[in-house]
Amino acid sequence: LLFALFSVLAKTYQAKYIIHIPGITVCYELHIPYAAPLLSGLFGSMGDVTTVIAGSTVSYYLKMVRDYTPSIIEGKENVTALSILQNMFASPMFYIYLIAMVSMFVLVGLIRSTSTPHSWLLSVFLGTLAETIIMLGGLLFLNNRGRIGELIISNLVVLALGFFMCFMFQDLDYNRVEKVQFEDDDYYYYVKAVPKIKLADEEKKIKRITMVSRTKKRKGEEKGDSAH
């Protein structure tokens, strides 16, 4: 039901990568959920914030279901899907995790879309740094220091993945438009370099002249002379 509900929500907001809703859940099991908002920020649009929120919510909910599994199997507690959902919304760590994921996505998306030099690399670094600080602050505030080591390792992996994506899709992309700035003693120069493959071919208009068009033209000229 959660997957269906969030898929409809993502479609409504025209999210580009709905696959991130189950994808974040898979990444959470691999202990690298922060890879999803990083990739969405680099390649998606702001509409993908819905998939980040949805995927983060579903992944955390399924994590709580796994934590409650022993109690469900042994029948010690009257645990239902609704009670787990209520416990999730009452957990401060859920909101810290959600804020970290959304902040990373928004920061990466905004910086990546600017025209500053090395914007992709900068967005990867600052986005990962912001998410790490938020999660680290949350773990320290809730006195959950045992997960700090896992958090650092996870973010190092995400950072390496982000730099790899920058290398693959930026440094090796010869079709993108480049903006270069340089100066001499008198002037600043701002150059926009457009690859030749992006330049549209010159449109050539060909006008065919037939005997019929010549006859009509001659008749028109004769009428003009008679009018004069």
Side-chain angles (χ1 to χ4, degrees), residues 27-34 63 66 131-132 135-136 139 144-158:
C27 290
Y28 195 98
E29 293 300 316
L30 298 174
H31 304 287
I32 51 170
Y34 318 109
K63 175 256 182 188
R66 185 177 65 247
E131 171 267 314
T132 304
M135 287 297 297
L136 185 61
L139 293 176
N144 192 0
R145 301 174 185 272
R147 293 184 55 191
I148 293 179
E150 177 186 330
L151 174 68
I152 294 174
I153 295 174
S154 173
N155 280 286
L156 288 176
V157 173
V158 171

Side-chain angles (χ1 to χ4, degrees), residues 73-145:
I73 294 175
E74 295 176 6
K76 293 181 180 180
E77 301 178 15
N78 186 20
V79 180
T80 63
L82 182 58
S83 65
I84 296 176
L85 194 64
Q86 291 173 342
N87 291 335
M88 181 186 73
F89 286 126
S91 171
M93 196 62 212
F94 165 69
Y95 296 101
I96 294 171
Y97 169 64
L98 191 61
I99 292 171
M101 295 283 281
V102 174
S103 299
M104 184 181 195
F105 166 78
V106 172
L107 198 59
V108 171
L110 289 177
I111 298 176
R112 182 264 304 172
S113 60
T114 62
S115 58
T116 56
H118 309 293
S119 58
W120 277 49
L121 289 173
L122 194 62
S123 67
V124 169
F125 177 75
L126 292 181
T128 306
L129 180 63
E131 171 267 314
T132 304
I133 291 174
I134 294 172
M135 287 297 297
L136 185 61
L139 293 176
L140 292 175
F141 178 76
L142 298 175
N143 198 22
N144 192 0
R145 301 174 185 272

Side-chain angles (χ1 to χ4, degrees), residues 180-199:
V180 184
Q181 174 184 344
F182 57 93
E183 61 180 290
D184 59 15
D185 294 336
D186 300 316
Y187 296 97
Y188 289 99
Y189 299 92
Y190 300 92
V191 180
K192 183 177 181 180
V194 181
K196 290 183 178 180
I197 195 173
K198 283 185 174 290
L199 295 177

Side-chain angles (χ1 to χ4, degrees), residues 43 120 164-174 176:
F43 302 105
W120 277 49
F164 176 75
M165 289 297 171
C166 292
F167 173 75
M168 290 298 297
F169 293 95
Q170 282 293 102
D171 294 345
L172 298 182
D173 183 9
Y174 300 108
R176 71 181 186 275

Side-chain angles (χ1 to χ4, degrees), residues 7-82:
S7 296
V8 172
L9 182 65
K11 281 284 188 181
T12 303
Y13 284 91
Q14 299 180 347
K16 188 176 180 181
Y17 295 105
I18 299 180
I19 190 64
H20 283 323
I21 298 177
I24 294 178
T25 302
V26 175
C27 290
Y28 195 98
E29 293 300 316
L30 298 174
H31 304 287
I32 51 170
Y34 318 109
L38 176 69
L39 296 178
S40 291
L42 289 176
F43 302 105
S45 62
M46 281 300 164
D48 285 302
V49 70
T50 54
T51 63
V52 174
I53 294 174
S56 302
T57 303
V58 172
S59 63
Y60 200 90
Y61 176 75
L62 293 180
K63 175 256 182 188
M64 293 195 68
V65 170
R66 185 177 65 247
D67 294 341
Y68 276 98
T69 299
S71 300
I72 297 173
I73 294 175
E74 295 176 6
K76 293 181 180 180
E77 301 178 15
N78 186 20
V79 180
T80 63
L82 182 58

